[in-house]
Amino acid sequence: MQHPQSQSIRTRAVLAGLTALALSAALAACSSGSKPAAAPKPGGNVATQSAAPTTSAAPVGSAPPADGRVVMPTGPAADLKKAHDTKAGPIMVTTLAGRKSGVSGQVWVWLPPQYDDPKYAKFGFPVLTLFAGGQSNGYNTWTDEKQLPIEEMDAQLSQQGQAHPFIMIMPVQNLVSDERKSLDCSDIPGQPKMGTWLSQDIPDFVRANFRTLKGRDSWGLMGASSGADCSAKLAMQHPDLFKAAVPIDGDFKADSSLWKGHQAEDDANSPDKLISTSRADVKMLATAGGGDAHEVGVVKKWVASAAAPTTVEYYEEPGGQHLTTDFEKLIPMSLQWLTKNLTGPQSDS
């Protein structure tokens, strides 16, 4: 499989009450030196039984709750080192040895500018975990501002009051580069427990190191291509941990060769099976590129298979293809949708 910087990454509650809504998607291409758009502009259609993504997010720092929701870091502190700088601040990296899974893997972290602002010293922040497309072994495309500059876009939108300032967590999803041996963000029998690492050890790492909020209402997931499958699957499997997810252009299949001989476990971890059986109270926004008829069909079929209380909104990017250049165009709208569906920074005083 090609490295994500030179490839088009591989390849979607309820359609009832189809309502065409104008949504936004204005971004630069993900080529080198791209500039993020300041805010989304109308384009595309959304269909859902719930409200559409907004173009104006709630202001950062809403009224504090009465029940004391801020969770201060518990430690031990991770050995975070600077991976590289972005226009919106540094991205840090560490190797996390998961206590519950036994898996060790790289995790990248970006903290929004507000996190270290003295005015926010007593605030807990929402958390967004980002999954890459492709094999994601030793990299995560969301850390590359020449491809998917989500950090810079979130910094801009949060300053404008259109998006929450999210703590962004970007873990690897696989331990080898052979795509046939993908771990599908799952605990495949006889293989490293990547599902446990992503759903248990990663949240534990976040709570140990950063100011967060109690409960699931401020925890979201987002991924593109094979990363979309991870975000959808983990949301449906762990509604106690995550409230909302944005799967971008997924094919929703757990199709690793490592599932051979384990069909029941494969079905239990395949998003295309989970969507019709899940009764998880989670909200998702599934996207498809309008320029790819096959992908549109796959995503629409997946969305149509969802059953309450799972809620899936559908967004079709006009003329979109299965490319990081088009994934990038979805970032502002996705951040605004997540802002609408997740709790923003809060303090207890």
Side-chain angles (χ1 to χ4, degrees):
M1 171 164 192
Q2 294 178 320
H3 189 279
Q5 292 182 344
S6 61
Q7 69 171 359
S8 122
I9 307 176
R10 75 169 178 92
T11 26
R12 292 342 32 134
V14 179
L15 277 179
L18 285 174
T19 306
L21 299 169
L23 273 188
S24 45
L27 288 172
C30 42
S31 58
S32 177
S34 58
K35 302 286 185 182
K41 296 180 180 179
N45 295 314
V46 168
T48 179
Q49 69 170 29
S50 61
T54 61
T55 55
S56 180
V60 170
S62 51
D67 57 350
R69 291 196 58 200
V70 177
V71 180
M72 300 302 288
T74 60
D79 181 21
L80 285 159
K81 297 184 177 358
K82 185 167 75 172
H84 60 270
D85 286 309
T86 74
K87 293 177 182 178
I91 290 179
M92 311 299 287
V93 66
T94 190
T95 297
L96 173 63
R99 294 184 178 181
K100 295 177 180 176
S101 65
V103 169
S104 290
Q106 290 171 291
V107 185
W108 290 265
V109 176
W110 176 77
L111 299 176
Q114 292 88 340
Y115 189 87
D116 291 319
D117 186 331
K119 292 184 294 185
Y120 286 83
K122 296 183 179 180
F123 279 70
F125 284 75
V127 179
L128 179 59
T129 302
L130 299 165
F131 301 103
Q135 193 63 2
S136 186
N137 163 241
Y139 69 87
N140 186 305
T141 42
W142 297 101
T143 70
D144 186 351
E145 63 182 336
K146 293 181 179 180
Q147 293 194 75
L148 298 171
I150 190 169
E151 297 86 6
E152 185 177 352
M153 295 176 189
D154 186 52
Q156 289 183 1
L157 291 171
S158 66
Q159 295 246 344
Q160 298 164 7
Q162 296 185 47
H164 295 323
F166 289 99
I167 294 172
M168 294 187 182
I169 308 298
M170 297 156 277
V172 298
Q173 291 138 235
N174 292 288
L175 303 177
V176 299
S177 58
D178 184 351
E179 188 169 7
R180 294 170 301 175
K181 297 181 179 180
S182 169
L183 295 173
D184 283 338
C185 296
S186 303
D187 289 356
I188 301 176
Q191 302 299 323
K193 294 183 177 181
M194 185 56 70
T196 298
W197 191 72
L198 292 170
S199 67
Q200 303 296 323
D201 290 325
I202 292 292
D204 286 351
F205 158 78
V206 175
R207 286 186 286 264
N209 287 276
F210 309 108
R211 301 190 305 276
T212 58
L213 297 167
K214 291 180 183 176
R216 69 178 192 130
D217 288 354
S218 60
W219 291 73
L221 306 165
M222 180 173 166
S225 192
S226 54
D229 303 343
C230 289
S231 64
K233 179 189 101 75
L234 292 171
M236 288 186 285
Q237 289 182 326
H238 302 282
D240 57 322
L241 300 175
F242 308 108
K243 182 181 179 182
V246 179
I248 296 173
D249 297 18
D251 71 359
F252 302 107
K253 294 180 180 178
D255 51 9
S256 171
S257 64
L258 297 175
W259 289 111
K260 186 176 181 180
H262 305 286
Q263 190 60 52
E265 292 88 347
D266 186 352
D267 291 346
N269 285 277
S270 189
D272 66 345
K273 303 289 196 309
L274 285 169
I275 193 62
S276 60
T277 60
S278 170
R279 296 299 178 265
D281 184 11
V282 293
K283 296 181 179 180
M284 292 186 278
L285 171 64
T287 78
D292 186 332
H294 174 73
E295 181 171 276
V296 168
V298 168
V299 179
K300 281 188 172 182
K301 180 180 178 182
W302 187 78
V303 173
S305 299
T310 304
T311 301
V312 184
E313 299 181 39
Y314 172 73
Y315 175 79
E316 188 172 303
E317 182 190 354
Q321 298 291 333
H322 201 81
L323 300 164
T324 50
T325 49
D326 285 312
F327 299 162
E328 185 188 6
K329 296 174 185 177
L330 299 169
I331 294 175
M333 179 266 293
S334 298
L335 288 172
Q336 291 182 327
W337 184 90
L338 286 161
T339 294
K340 178 188 169 184
N341 288 284
L342 294 173
T343 301
Q346 294 183 337
S347 72
D348 291 334
S349 59

